[in-house]
Amino acid sequence: MGCCCDEDDGDILRHLMSSPSSAQTPPPPPPPPSTVISPMNSHFSALSSTDILRLIFQKLPVPDLARATCVSRLWNSVASQRDMVTRAFLAPWKLNNAIGDPLSKSFWRDNSLAKFAASHRVVRGDSVASLAVKYSVQVMDIKRLNNMMSDHGIYSRERLLIPISNPDILVNRTCFIELDVFAKREVAVLYPNDEPDRKRTTYVANRISSEESNKKVLHSLKRSMQVDSETAQYYWSVSNGDPRAALAEFSADLQWDRQVGHS
């Protein structure tokens, strides 16, 4: 009986190649492209069906829905629909509805509890301390949300925003998306009985509209005068909000400054 040493190199190589234990299993062939489920596979019909995408996106939380908008134009068009983002925004808190359109699309991406606040109409005898006790929140949280430097700031306002400390308050409620001029940010506001103060809402809207108009005028003055914002604001103030008078005042000062410089 021979041994392995009696075999030449060719015989040994043939034994190794034919040995079942040493044989290598070839890799399986890749699946056909049509069976690969991928957002980049345009041949997969489910990912190009608006109805199917809506069914899928309805289950996504806000962060995942935001990521879906970055996949393709079709996904963006579906994931950005108002009912989609509203559903994802309300679902974690079991809210009924959100009324109003935010000025910034990024409003929907953050649906933390800090996004919500209760509206309290200020009445005689209210204080920040008493409201903190009434709503079971911290005094500093009320001041921080409403940009108040002292307790006396309450008397110059028609309402205060109260931070939400208990998420159960949001269940089955309706929130109203508002840009609060004092908080200086958009907030999902809750009103008693889910009915906002229409008089105050109109006042806030008019005030915001007025402030936006003033910003445009100041920007125009800044460009015309070729000065910084503070200088434009100064001439705007001394002219009692009259842009023509502001330009005339600025031109007069500029001419006087030139005459003094030449003398």
Side-chain angles (χ1 to χ4, degrees):
M1 181 180 292
C3 63
C4 63
C5 61
D6 295 331
E7 300 176 355
D8 59 17
D9 293 340
D11 293 332
I12 295 175
L13 181 60
R14 281 193 296 273
H15 280 291
L16 292 175
M17 294 296 294
S18 61
S19 175
S21 60
S22 62
Q24 297 182 354
T25 303
S34 60
T35 63
V36 178
I37 301 178
S38 167
M40 304 308 295
N41 182 5
S42 59
H43 299 289
F44 189 64
S45 58
L47 297 177
S48 59
S49 170
T50 301
D51 293 336
I52 294 179
L53 287 176
R54 285 181 57 86
L55 291 175
I56 296 173
F57 291 168
Q58 287 176 1
K59 307 296 183 181
L60 298 181
V62 168
D64 292 337
L65 190 64
R67 295 187 185 99
T69 62
C70 303
V71 173
S72 65
R73 290 184 179 180
L74 176 61
W75 284 37
N76 182 282
S77 65
V78 177
S80 300
Q81 292 176 4
R82 171 60 191 267
D83 63 325
M84 284 292 172
V85 295
T86 304
R87 185 193 302 270
F89 182 83
L90 302 179
W93 311 110
K94 299 180 181 179
L95 282 155
N96 278 338
N97 196 12
I99 298 178
D101 295 316
L103 299 177
S104 173
K105 293 182 179 180
S106 62
F107 176 89
W108 302 112
R109 296 179 184 176
D110 173 23
N111 65 338
S112 64
L113 193 60
K115 179 74 72 173
F116 302 91
S119 176
H120 174 84
R121 186 175 182 83
V122 178
V123 297
R124 181 176 298 179
D126 280 343
S127 67
V128 179
S130 65
L131 294 179
V133 173
K134 178 179 179 179
Y135 292 97
S136 300
V137 296
Q138 299 295 322
V139 170
M140 287 307 300
D141 291 338
I142 296 179
K143 290 183 177 181
R144 187 180 300 110
L145 178 58
N146 294 274
N147 285 321
M148 296 175 58
M149 300 301 295
S150 68
D151 295 351
H152 300 292
I154 189 175
Y155 304 115
S156 61
R157 309 186 184 195
E158 294 185 354
R159 76 146 179 204
L160 286 181
L161 294 177
I162 308 299
I164 301 295
S165 59
N166 183 2
D168 293 340
I169 298 175
L170 303 179
V171 177
N172 296 326
R173 298 292 303 276
T174 296
C175 63
F176 296 80
I177 302 171
E178 301 178 6
L179 174 61
D180 190 87
V181 294
F182 291 108
K184 297 182 180 180
R185 64 185 180 92
E186 291 184 296
V187 188
V189 182
L190 274 70
Y191 287 90
N193 301 320
D194 294 338
E195 296 181 1
D197 186 342
R198 296 298 178 185
K199 180 179 179 181
R200 185 193 179 281
T201 303
T202 302
Y203 164 77
V204 170
N206 291 338
R207 177 169 179 173
I208 292 174
S209 176
S210 177
E211 289 183 352
E212 291 297 327
S213 299
N214 290 344
K215 287 181 180 179
K216 292 181 180 179
V217 173
L218 283 172
H219 182 68
S220 178
L221 284 175
K222 177 181 175 181
R223 292 177 55 186
S224 299
M225 298 177 180
Q226 297 184 351
V227 295
D228 54 34
S229 300
E230 289 74 14
T231 303
Q233 178 67 53
Y234 167 76
Y235 283 101
W236 169 258
S237 300
V238 298
S239 63
N240 295 322
D242 185 345
R244 292 186 178 181
L247 286 172
E249 186 75 20
F250 173 74
S251 298
D253 287 350
L254 188 63
Q255 184 177 4
W256 178 84
D257 186 56
R258 289 174 178 172
Q259 292 175 351
V260 172
H262 291 303
S263 60

